[in-house]
Amino acid sequence: ILGFSTPPGRLSMMAFILNALTCALGLLFFIRRGKQCLDFTVTVHFFHLLGCWIYNSRFPSTLTWWLVHIVCIALMAAIGEYLCMRIELREIPLNSAPKSNV
């Protein structure tokens, strides 16, 4: 179904890319570590590969399938790492506790 020449193929590819963007937000909320984003991204896509292999009873061999997933892995890892690094590099507030009069 993935292909550049048909509208359903282009729509499916756009859905995969939008999914990669939303999963990058998921990395921000669930992982919160920039160093672990690539690991979790590859793990999620590996499980997706296994699911596709089991569901179709054959290994995915289409070039467009592999290209779309490589682009999605790169997008999800890069954007997720960027978002997580922004959170990690925030200033730590030093005067957040109220003063006590003892």
Side-chain angles (χ1 to χ4, degrees), residues 26-75:
L27 290 174
L28 173 65
F29 290 114
F30 295 112
I31 306 305
R32 292 186 180 249
R33 299 279 306 169
K35 291 182 178 182
Q36 295 176 344
C37 285
L38 181 62
D39 297 336
F40 280 94
T41 300
V42 172
T43 302
V44 165
H45 280 82
F46 177 72
F47 286 137
H48 182 260
L49 169 69
L50 289 178
C52 289
W53 192 358
I54 291 169
Y55 181 76
N56 293 325
S57 302
R58 62 185 178 90
F59 193 75
S61 60
T62 325
L63 181 63
T64 55
W65 190 91
W66 287 102
L67 288 176
V68 166
H69 280 59
I70 288 171
V71 167
C72 288
I73 287 171
L75 275 174

Side-chain angles (χ1 to χ4, degrees), residues 7-37:
R10 287 191 296 264
L11 185 65
S12 294
M13 285 191 278
M14 289 306 296
F16 275 110
I17 290 175
L18 287 174
N19 184 37
L21 297 177
T22 56
C23 286
L25 288 174
L27 290 174
L28 173 65
F29 290 114
F30 295 112
I31 306 305
R32 292 186 180 249
R33 299 279 306 169
K35 291 182 178 182
Q36 295 176 344
C37 285

